[in-house]
Every structure is written in structure tokens, then in C-alpha cells.
Amino acid sequence: MEPLGIFKLAHELVLCFAKPLMSFFYLYVNYEVHVMNSSRRQFFGISARAAGKVAATGLVSLPLLASMSKRADALGWTGWRDDPTPHGPNGGGSGKCFLRGTMIQTPGGEIPVEELEIGALVDTLRGPLPVKWIGRQRFEKAGPSWHWSVAPIRVARFALSDKYPRRDLFLSPHHSLFIDGLLIPVEWLVNGKSITLAEMDDREAIDYFHIELETHEVVFAEGTPAETLLVDNDREHFGNFVQYEELYGVGNERAMQSFAPRIEYQGPGGELNRLLRLAVSPVVDIRDPIQKARARIAARGETVLS
């Protein structure tokens, strides 16, 4: 058969199988939809001042953020699932935190997260806001290596843009970065080059700290937009949760709304969703926002870190 004939046959086969696959895929995605109504009202309330902050840090504009919020709802992304990972010396828990030494931007300059105090102001996308509480977690190694849910993830200097991170940024795997108007857990952005598992096996202890404000916000860690604590159940996974109860009591607080849509893959269904998108995308690009962000960051890493 002539090469042109082979090409035409291959083209027809792709069209033949792509349409049923696409139909199945979209039916599957619709079946998996869980709309994030809880974050929509908060997200659309971002002020014009916040939009200016976003532009100043090299992120997207407010209209695009609103557009991304609608797209996330339409795609059916949901909030973070609280995995039952083991607690204890090498266990995980549900904290999403900054590693000791992470520099947080304040109106007076950068301060290590562990030195922040209650009442201190930190810079956020909405402007300076006071710290309500600092949660602390310490993990001690009980084996040759750290549990995957505890070991920090390293975001290399300038991995995300020409402006940030200003230095290597170390986060717990579940901690979300604010990218393209969405909150994406950093574990889904690992690419083996500019975002990697940190080498921490020589450490006998790891200390994490998290910043709680009155509302869920985005602060600047090593210059990088990253989330503050989103309280969705309790604070008992923090070693100093009793301090919070002494200061504010128990059971008298309102639930927080997420600053922006949080997206991730949930369970076997989410994994199948991800794989289907990757399989179809060579024909029609239907990659999800995580896949697009990860690919863009990985490509930048090849250039910046080569």
C-alpha cells in the first residue's frame, strides 16, 4: 500500500475510535462531577486590590480568575480529600504546611514562618491581614526514610516564574499553590526536575508550620502564592492544637470557604479521569488544569535548570 494510503487509513481509524472514546470520556467526566459551590461566592468576591496584587506577582487578572473558577466548576473538581494516612512518627495526617525556615512576606519584610506571632500582619492577595494562629507539627523519623505523606516537596528557585520562588520552597505534599486562579496541591506538580521530592533522609526530625488567618487566603512564601490553613474539620493533627482551644475555645467557629477552587485527583475514579484525558489529548487536547500547569512548569524547568 502506498504511504499516502496508509496515512489515510490510519486517519480513518483514529476518527473511528476517537469519537466513541470521546463520548465515553465525557459521559464518565459528567458522572464524576462534584460542583464546588462553597468556594464560588468567596472567589468572585476578590477585590480590585487583589487583582492588582495578582498582576504585580506575574499571575493572571481578576476576569481570568473568575473564568477559571467557572471552568473548574464545570469540570467537576472538588476540594481536598482528607486521606486516612497514618499519624505518628513517620505518618502523615491532614496538615498542609510550610517547612521550618520558609520565608513569609510581611509588610515589614520576609520572616521565617516559625517566627511569626499571633496578631502579626502578613501580606496576602487581599492586602495585609493579621495572623490568628500558627499550627505546628513535628515528625520524627522511625525508619530509614520518610513516609511519602511527610517528606517535603521542593519547588526549585524560579521554577514557576522569573519572579518566584525567590529561593527553594519546601512544602508538605498536600499544600496547595495558587496557579492559574486555582489551588493545586504541590504533590500533583512533581516533575522530577524543578519540582521534586526533597532529600531529607539525613534529618531525624521534620518541623512544619501553618498559618491560620480569619479566612482562607493566599500568602507569599519565598515570594510564591500559597494557601493559608483551610480548616475543614479540626486542628488535632497539629501538636499545639490545645493552644488554639485555650485562646478561642472549642466548637464556636464558622466553617471556612476556600479562597479559590481546589483541584486534585480523587481516588481510582480521579486517576482514571486523568489517564483518559492523557490518552485522548494527542487527538484533542482535553488535558485538565493540573496537567496543563504541570507540563508548562516541567518545560520551564528544562530551560531554567538546564
Side-chain angles (χ1 to χ4, degrees):
M1 185 180 292
E2 294 295 324
L4 183 58
I6 294 175
F7 175 80
K8 288 182 177 179
L9 177 60
H11 180 70
E12 292 299 323
L13 286 173
V14 168
L15 292 179
C16 177
F17 286 103
K19 290 181 180 179
L21 182 59
M22 288 288 288
S23 297
F24 165 76
F25 176 73
Y26 282 117
L27 284 173
Y28 177 80
V29 170
N30 288 333
Y31 177 75
E32 289 289 312
V33 165
H34 303 282
V35 178
M36 292 184 59
N37 289 325
S38 62
S39 65
R40 185 183 300 153
R41 292 190 301 274
Q42 177 99 352
F43 192 65
F44 281 104
I46 295 176
S47 65
R49 181 175 182 178
K53 285 272 189 177
V54 169
T57 56
L59 292 170
V60 292
S61 65
L62 185 59
L64 183 54
L65 296 186
S67 169
M68 291 300 294
S69 177
K70 290 181 179 178
R71 286 182 58 202
D73 281 352
L75 286 169
W77 295 103
T78 64
W80 171 250
R81 72 188 187 284
D82 202 4
D83 279 338
T85 49
H87 293 261
N90 268 16
S94 58
K96 301 179 278 290
C97 310
F98 302 103
L99 189 68
R100 175 186 288 275
T102 301
M103 303 298 287
I104 306 298
Q105 185 66 43
T106 76
E110 291 184 313
I111 296 179
V113 63
E114 66 271 19
E115 295 182 14
L116 286 173
E117 298 180 353
I118 293 173
L121 293 178
V122 293
D123 286 337
T124 77
L125 282 178
R126 301 179 200 270
L129 292 173
V131 172
K132 182 176 182 180
W133 185 64
I134 301 293
R136 296 174 170 83
Q137 288 180 299
R138 163 163 278 223
F139 299 95
E140 296 180 355
K141 191 168 64 172
S145 59
W146 288 99
H147 190 276
W148 64 266
S149 64
V150 173
I153 290 177
R154 167 183 168 268
V155 183
R157 180 174 182 254
F158 299 144
L160 304 177
S161 82
D162 291 338
K163 298 181 180 179
Y164 55 82
R166 297 184 187 121
R167 293 165 290 275
D168 287 357
L169 171 63
F170 295 89
L171 303 169
S172 60
H174 306 333
H175 200 114
S176 291
L177 297 176
F178 187 59
I179 297 175
D180 296 339
L182 302 167
L183 290 167
I184 303 177
V186 69
E187 63 184 323
W188 297 113
L189 300 174
V190 171
N191 56 43
K193 184 77 172 182
S194 59
I195 302 183
T196 61
L197 299 179
E199 296 293 335
M200 293 283 174
D201 285 346
D202 60 335
R203 293 195 185 189
E204 295 304 314
I206 289 177
D207 292 306
Y208 282 119
F209 298 80
H210 214 336
I211 304 166
E212 179 176 349
L213 307 183
E214 193 64 39
T215 52
H216 190 225
E217 302 292 341
V218 168
V219 294
F220 301 96
E222 308 293 2
T224 306
E227 69 172 338
T228 59
L229 178 63
L230 175 62
V231 179
D232 53 7
N233 44 38
D234 57 49
R235 300 171 181 79
E236 292 187 4
H237 50 277
F238 289 107
N240 62 328
F241 74 93
V242 173
Q243 179 196 38
Y244 180 92
E245 295 178 351
E246 292 174 346
L247 289 170
Y248 302 107
V250 181
N252 57 357
E253 59 190 47
R254 58 187 176 85
M256 285 187 179
Q257 293 181 344
S258 181
F259 178 86
R262 183 192 305 275
I263 61 174
E264 67 155 345
Y265 306 113
Q266 297 202 16
E271 181 66 11
L272 179 57
N273 188 316
R274 181 182 73 85
L275 293 174
L276 283 171
R277 288 181 180 275
L278 287 175
V280 173
S281 289
V283 180
V284 179
D285 187 0
I286 54 171
R287 291 174 300 167
D288 60 56
I290 294 177
Q291 291 166 338
K292 291 181 179 179
R294 184 179 180 278
R296 185 178 70 245
I297 294 168
R300 174 179 174 80
E302 291 294 334
T303 301
V304 174
L305 300 179
S306 58

